Each structure stands twice: as C-alpha cells, then as structure tokens.
Amino acid sequence: MKKFTYFTSEFVSPGHPDKVSDQISDAILDACLADDPNSRVACEVFCTTGLVVVGGEITTTTYIDVQEIVRKKISEIGYRPGMGFDSDCGTLSCIHSQSPDIAMGVDVGGAGDQGIMFGGAVKETEELMPLALVLSREILVRLTKMMKAGEIAWARPDQKSQVTLAYDENGNIDHVDSIVVSVQHNEEVSHAEIEKTVIEKVVNPVLEKYKLNTENIKYYINPTGRFVVGGPHGDTGLTGRKIIVDTYGGYFRHGGGAFSGKDPSKVDRSAAYAARWVAKNVVAADFADKCEIQLSYAIGVAKPVSIKVDTFGTAKVDEDKISEAIAKVFDLSPRGIEKALELREGKFKYQDLAAFGHIGRTDIDTPWERLNRVEELKKAINL
C-alpha cells in the first residue's frame, strides 16, 4: 500500500477583509510613489462594518486623497450597498511622518529595519512555484473574474480556496487529495447550485490545465452550507495578516514581515522579493531542484548580515559554492535591490500584487521573476 505525505496551501480573494486592507495600503503607496518616487511609506489599514481606519507613517512631497483612494478601491473590489460594507463608509486617517531615527539609517543607504526574509523556488510548475499555492490562487483568479463579469451572478467578493496534494515516498506529486472553496453569496442561491457551479465551472478547468490525478478527490464547497455575511462586515480586516498567501502558501519559510503599505526601503518587502529572485535563478540554472534563500539585515546597515542557501538535499552544486556565486552576482543592499528590481519606477502597481500575491505572478512583469542572472551564476561557478 502506497504511503503519502500531504501538503496544503490556501488562498484568499481580493474581497477577503485582510486583502481589502492590503490593497488600500498599497493603493496609498502607489499614489505616493507616482508623484514622489522617494516617498517613505509605512501604511496600515483596519476595516470593519462601515469604517476604514488608515494609520502609519508617511513622508512625501505629494498630496494624497485618502478618502478617495479608499472608496475607489472598495468599489473596484466589488462591494456594493446591501453587503454590509461598501464605498460609502466612514474613513478615519491617522497618518504622521516617518521617525527621523529610522530615516537617519535609510538616508545613507541602509536597511529600514532589522529582520529576516525568505525566498524560494521549486520545480513543480513552469514558474518554479509550489503547485498547491498555484492551484489555490488560480481557482480564485478564475472565480473572481467570473464574478466580476457577471457569469456567476450570485457570487460576492469574499472567497477562499484550499488545495491538498498527496506526495509519494520519492517526493513526487501523486494526486490531488482535496479542495476546499468558500464563496460569499446572495440569499437566493441554493447550496446545490453553488457546489455544482464552483466544481464544474471554476475548479475543473483549473485542474484540467495541469493534467493531475483527480480520481478520488474530495470537495468541500461552502462546508457550513451558508456564507451570506462576509467581507469586513463578517470579519474585520487588517493589513499584513495574509503573508503566507502573499508568498508560497507555507511551502517555504517566512520571516514574518508583511509587504503591503511599505515602500522599498523596507527590507520586509524588497529583500523578500530579492530572495525570490535569487532562488528562482539558482533553480533555473539547474544548481538544485528546490532552493530556499534566507537574508538577514540590521537597521541602517547596507549589506545583508547573512545569506543562507538551503537546497533540501537536491543540490547538484555544492551549497557553499552557490552562496559564493550569489554574493558575486547579486547586489543585495537595499538600494541595489531597489535599482535592480525597479521598485520605485512605477512599472507595476503594488496594489495589484496585494490582490493576487506578490510571488510567482505570470500576469504581471515583476522583475524578481525574471531569469536574468542564470548565465552569470554559471560563470561564477565556472560551469
């Protein structure tokens, strides 16, 4: 009898209350950077029934209309009157300037805080991402698009998915064990219709794309049987509470720092992007089938305090040599990362990353997903 190890990742939609907060935080960041690329931003949002509270530290030369940004983003996400939360909500702004003690270290090119950041890559998908996370995300991308297009008229913005994969004794994916989808809905639709629509029109097309073994799959669609009250009306939202959804679905470690609402001088964000960039190029160079990079920083210090490579026994090149090559090829100082990854140039919107994840995106040209250091890494190891 075969023995399996099970791994699960979840994802949440842009209408999840925490994701509403993330997107508002990053929409405010985008507005600051659009007119003042050197803005220093650390913005967090709390949302609940009828109220959005915006707080944090912002130092910028431009003016941002917080209320307009909040209302526009809520409307874009799809919340309408009658859902318990919509763009006609109260907005409270509690923003002040960045601490001069922090600015003192950042102004000279140092990190904006201490901390540890992780990035990873694995040969499970074309984009070198964990498959469970990719499936969970694609299910909600499809569901959200169909909701916004009116193809699923009963669906509302707050949605969640969860995928469990079974791995055999050799670490290969054998089959899809189970899928959970919870989708907020109107009063009129039946549970039977929700279940049928989600499985046939949303989940199955995603699974077919990957040609997976789904013979004995278990489905849990709106397991409680009812999900009418949702969004910030059903549960409060807070910036930075979905950091695992934002990255690898728990497949790789996470340093704990959130991304949204932070300008690129905050290494919680920029160094996590850089760690993904490094790990993806290492795996694409075929140094390993799986790679995790840990970076650590001290406030006000430019260079990483440490760089750690973990290939989980899949290395085809000595890990010490990989570490040496990384140090030669990548400038992992905060300013070096900002420049290489174009983090202040306005070529993408941070709020779009907040909606469907920051890592492994194929629909947005994010520089940390580019395989532009593969040949340099090979040369550094004399391959």
Side-chain angles (χ1 to χ4, degrees), residues 275-298:
R276 162 63 177 174
W277 182 39
V278 173
K280 189 174 183 181
N281 277 268
V282 166
V283 172
D286 204 30
F287 294 169
D289 293 334
K290 180 178 176 181
C291 179
E292 179 186 82
I293 304 294
Q294 184 202 51
L295 304 175
S296 69
Y297 291 84

Side-chain angles (χ1 to χ4, degrees), residues 60-72:
T60 184
T61 60
T62 190
Y63 168 77
I64 54 169
D65 188 332
V66 172
Q67 286 203 20
E68 181 184 1
I69 292 170
V70 168
R71 298 184 196 284
K72 181 180 179 183

Side-chain angles (χ1 to χ4, degrees), residues 292-325:
E292 179 186 82
I293 304 294
Q294 184 202 51
L295 304 175
S296 69
Y297 291 84
I299 188 168
V301 179
K303 295 292 183 181
V305 174
S306 67
I307 302 172
K308 179 179 181 291
V309 177
D310 190 346
T311 60
F312 306 93
T314 71
K316 303 167 188 179
V317 176
D318 184 79
E319 286 185 354
D320 289 338
K321 290 185 177 180
I322 296 174
S323 296
E324 291 171 7

Side-chain angles (χ1 to χ4, degrees), residues 226-241:
R226 179 181 169 88
F227 186 14
V228 174
V229 179
H233 181 48
D235 191 8
T236 55
L238 189 65
T239 299
R241 282 202 299 207

Side-chain angles (χ1 to χ4, degrees), residues 50-183:
L51 179 65
V52 172
V53 180
V54 181
E57 304 82 48
I58 297 179
T59 299
T60 184
T61 60
T62 190
Y63 168 77
I64 54 169
D65 188 332
V66 172
Q67 286 203 20
E68 181 184 1
I69 292 170
V70 168
R71 298 184 196 284
K72 181 180 179 183
K73 181 50 65 178
I74 292 170
S75 181
E76 286 177 357
I77 291 169
Y79 283 105
R80 304 286 181 260
M83 296 183 183
F85 181 79
D86 59 69
S87 59
D88 188 23
C89 62
T91 303
L92 176 61
S93 177
C94 308
I95 294 170
H96 58 88
S97 61
Q98 183 186 58
S99 163
D101 295 343
I102 296 174
M104 183 171 59
V106 177
D107 289 342
V108 295
D113 202 354
Q114 70 177 51
I116 56 175
M117 299 82 209
F118 290 91
V122 61
K123 291 182 179 180
E124 286 191 358
T125 64
E126 288 184 5
E127 60 267 45
L128 303 181
M129 285 288 286
L131 181 59
L133 185 278
V134 170
L135 293 174
S136 300
R137 171 159 55 201
E138 290 197 13
I139 287 168
L140 289 194
V141 167
R142 184 172 176 83
L143 180 54
T144 299
K145 284 182 177 178
M146 294 180 76
M147 177 201 74
K148 288 193 171 185
E151 297 176 51
I152 304 179
W154 48 259
R156 290 180 174 178
D158 193 358
Q159 306 155 8
K160 286 177 148 183
S161 64
Q162 189 170 285
V163 175
T164 300
L165 301 178
Y167 289 76
D168 63 22
E169 293 175 327
N170 296 318
N172 299 314
I173 297 168
D174 185 84
H175 64 275
V176 181
D177 181 73
S178 64
I179 289 183
V180 182
V181 179
S182 295
V183 51

Side-chain angles (χ1 to χ4, degrees), residues 7-48:
F7 179 77
T8 303
S9 285
E10 73 158 345
F11 210 80
V12 300
S13 71
H16 184 282
D18 293 331
K19 280 285 134 199
V20 173
S21 295
D22 284 342
Q23 290 167 90
I24 293 171
S25 293
D26 273 338
I28 289 171
L29 171 63
D30 285 333
C32 291
L33 295 178
D35 289 334
D36 179 10
N38 295 315
S39 295
R40 301 279 173 76
V41 180
C43 176
E44 298 190 21
V45 171
F46 167 89
C47 60
T48 186

